[in-house]
Amino acid sequence: MNTKGEIQEISAFTRFDVVSDSSDHYYVNSNVPKRNAVDPFANASGGSHKKIMQEWKILEKHLPESIFVRVYENRIDLLRAVIVGAAGTPYHDGLFFFDIVFPTDYPARPPCVYYRSFGLRLNPNLYANGRVCLSLLNTWTGKKCEKWNPQESTVLQVLISIQALVLNEKPYFNEPGHGMWPGRNIWEKKSSAYNEDVFVLSCKTMIFVLRKPPKNFEGFVSGHFRERGHVILSACKNYIQGHVRVGYFRNDESFCSPSSGSGSGSGSGSSSSAFVEVSEKFKGLMVQLYPELVTAFSRTGANLGNLVEQIKVEKRTTSLKGEVSVMNKKKKEKNKNGIASRVFGKIKGVLGLKKSVVKAR
């Protein structure tokens, strides 16, 4: 919202700004001094106050284009950030919100970070209860150099770490032990399956965020999905139809503009003639979610073109898979019968039985 109470367009939404309404912040009741107690953040000459002001300056100057932050003039101990999911990951075009609070002895201890999950767990490091596991926050194990350093660590480092190390291309491998054993192809398949689940949860998160955007980000949320709605829907169609691996949809306007219709061209890392295997579970979930996404994006005024049409799953792919499965089953049965015949033949030879006797039995 601007000073006149009007919702700002995304193009006018600055990456860093100071706002006043912190009423829906997760930590709004934290650090509230008891009656007649001194507010540890009120003293401008205090160590915590000075450090937080330094943090504000760093954020204002160095935030990347995909991270937006709001701080509060009456509660300098609170901060809210949104990270835009990066292209080339299953989080692409999603909005992920984090509420942050500085402890009273900051920077001796790292800030506390709460992920606004809507009850969904779409990453091994981001729990459904909002917990964020990160070495830099001292909420996860790590080398000494990876943990919070009061002299050097900053909130900007925390946000960039979440963006780069948590919301990454293959989040399956964030889980300890995954990918540590022989059989790389097996782990990659598991990672691809996990990316399917992540994208579904990311789409659900988009719907929840649009229904109830965090305060001071209402205009940004609406504007973001108004601009990117057709891209997200094009990605959904391409993933379901097996044109692109889930999470690798090429994020550019020329490839998936509303005028292009179904947006069924090739994506990054795949050709138009290639087919990517997608699970039936993923297809089914996305077919259910697609109309909800269309409705949610349409309400923002997004230009969706022909993308408003319901997804049609290509049955031929399923049929071919079924045929292959039946052929493999018949082949196994044939091999099994062949082995059984040879075994009986050997028994017959050992016992001196006649062929006709064996056949009759």
Side-chain angles (χ1 to χ4, degrees), residues 324-341:
V324 171
S325 179
V326 171
M327 289 175 64
N328 289 336
K329 186 176 180 180
K330 289 182 177 180
K331 187 176 180 181
K332 287 181 180 179
E333 290 179 352
K334 184 177 180 181
N335 291 337
K336 185 177 180 181
N337 292 334
I339 293 172
S341 298

Side-chain angles (χ1 to χ4, degrees), residues 67-240:
I67 300 178
F68 297 79
V69 168
R70 291 295 177 266
V71 295
Y72 304 90
E73 56 184 352
N74 298 321
R75 289 294 304 273
I76 68 167
D77 58 318
L78 304 181
L79 180 151
R80 173 170 288 163
V82 60
I83 297 176
V84 181
T89 75
Y91 304 100
H92 68 79
D93 295 301
L95 296 180
F96 307 95
F97 284 88
F98 299 86
D99 284 359
I100 299 174
V101 62
F102 297 103
T104 55
D105 58 349
Y106 189 77
R109 287 182 295 148
C112 294
V113 181
Y114 172 82
Y115 167 56
R116 300 178 74 91
S117 70
F118 300 97
L120 305 175
R121 189 179 182 186
L122 42 60
N123 189 283
N125 299 77
L126 304 177
Y127 287 70
N129 64 4
R131 177 180 171 82
V132 178
C133 285
L134 194 67
S135 299
L136 189 56
L137 296 174
N138 294 346
T139 54
W140 190 250
T141 56
K143 300 177 182 178
K144 187 176 181 179
C145 62
E146 298 171 342
K147 289 184 171 292
W148 181 262
N149 183 332
Q151 283 73 44
E152 299 178 1
S153 301
T154 66
V155 173
L156 179 61
Q157 290 177 345
V158 170
L159 294 174
I160 291 177
S161 294
I162 293 174
Q163 182 183 51
L165 304 178
V166 176
L167 301 172
N168 58 28
E169 178 184 1
K170 297 179 180 180
Y172 176 81
F173 294 108
N174 289 9
E175 191 72 49
H178 286 179
M180 299 297 291
W181 308 103
R184 183 170 178 79
N185 288 337
I186 295 176
W187 291 107
E188 288 297 335
K189 287 183 179 180
K190 289 180 179 291
S191 175
S192 295
Y194 188 82
N195 276 8
E196 290 183 358
D197 294 338
V198 165
F199 184 73
V200 170
L201 294 177
S202 181
C203 287
K204 289 183 178 181
T205 301
M206 295 177 194
I207 295 172
F208 288 135
V209 167
L210 277 165
R211 287 177 183 171
K212 192 176 181 180
K215 287 185 181 297
N216 306 299
F217 285 87
E218 295 92 338
F220 173 78
V221 169
S222 179
H224 172 79
F225 289 113
R226 182 164 53 251
E227 290 185 4
R228 306 303 295 171
H230 68 279
V231 178
I232 297 164
L233 293 179
S234 292
C236 292
K237 284 200 169 186
N238 277 272
Y239 293 154
I240 289 176

